[in-house]
Amino acid sequence: MNKPSLTAALSFFSALVFSASALSATVQLTDVKVRELLPGRMMTAGYLTLENTGKEAVVLTGVTSPAFAEIELHEHVHQDGMMKMQQLQQVEVAAGQRVTFQPGGLHLMMFDAKSALKAGDKVSLSFQFSDGSSAQQQADVVAVTQ
C-alpha cells in the first residue's frame, strides 16, 4: 500500500472510531429489560429508556441479539377504537430528549427466542443507529408482572 493510500485509510478509520465514540458519549441506554417468556411462547417484549444528551438527533434503526432470531421496533396505536401494534422502521430521539420504550407504547418485539428465558437471566442486545454506529447493552430478564 502506498503512503497516500495508507494515510487515507487511517484517516477514514479514525473518523469511524471518533463517530462511534461521539455517539456513545451522547446516547444513554438505561433500564433495559426483557420480559421472561410465557409458557409455550417464544416471543416477548423489551423495554428501555434512550436518552440523547447530544446536540443533534439520534435515530435508532434496529436492535439485534444472539438470544432472538428477530427484534422489531413497535408501537401501540389507537385506531378505529381499538389498540393495535405496528412496526416502525426507526425511532428518532431529538437532541436533549429522552424516549421511553414501555408497555402500551413504544417497545421491542422479540421473536423466536433461542432458549426459555426466565427472570434473573441476562440478554445481550446490540442497538444500531442511522450513522452506522452501534451500542451494546446487557438487559435484565424480568417477570411478566414488571
Side-chain angles (χ1 to χ4, degrees), residues 20 23-24 27-29 50 60 62-64 125-129 132-138:
L23 178 67
S24 65
V27 173
Q28 304 296 318
L29 299 162
L50 179 61
L60 176 66
V63 181
T64 59
L125 299 173
S126 178
F127 295 82
Q128 289 81 44
F129 298 92
S133 65
S134 63
Q136 313 313 308
Q137 186 73 33
Q138 286 288 101

Side-chain angles (χ1 to χ4, degrees), residues 7-142:
T7 302
L10 288 173
S11 294
F12 177 73
F13 178 73
S14 295
L16 286 177
V17 169
F18 177 74
S19 173
S21 298
L23 178 67
S24 65
T26 63
V27 173
Q28 304 296 318
L29 299 162
T30 57
D31 200 25
V32 183
K33 57 189 169 190
V34 172
R35 283 189 173 171
E36 69 183 336
L37 297 175
L38 293 172
R41 295 286 193 120
M42 297 310 287
M43 63 184 260
T44 190
Y47 308 108
L48 66 131
T49 298
L50 179 61
E51 183 174 1
N52 178 4
T53 60
K55 296 182 191 282
E56 294 182 22
V58 171
V59 180
L60 176 66
T61 58
V63 181
T64 59
S65 173
F68 296 93
E70 184 176 5
I71 300 176
E72 296 177 355
L73 304 172
H74 274 225
E75 71 176 338
H76 280 103
V77 293
H78 286 63
Q79 186 175 2
D80 300 324
M82 297 186 68
M83 191 163 199
K84 70 179 222 174
M85 281 191 298
Q86 68 182 22
Q87 184 179 359
L88 301 172
Q89 297 305 308
Q90 62 186 31
V91 173
E92 182 173 323
V93 184
Q97 298 298 307
R98 166 185 308 164
V99 172
T100 302
F101 288 65
Q102 62 190 1
L106 288 172
H107 60 282
L108 304 175
M109 281 304 305
M110 308 170 115
F111 300 98
D112 298 323
K114 307 277 170 103
S115 64
L117 299 172
K118 299 204 179 304
D121 291 345
K122 298 275 188 190
V123 174
S124 179
L125 299 173
S126 178
F127 295 82
Q128 289 81 44
F129 298 92
S130 62
D131 68 353
S133 65
S134 63
Q136 313 313 308
Q137 186 73 33
Q138 286 288 101
D140 293 316
V141 177
V142 298

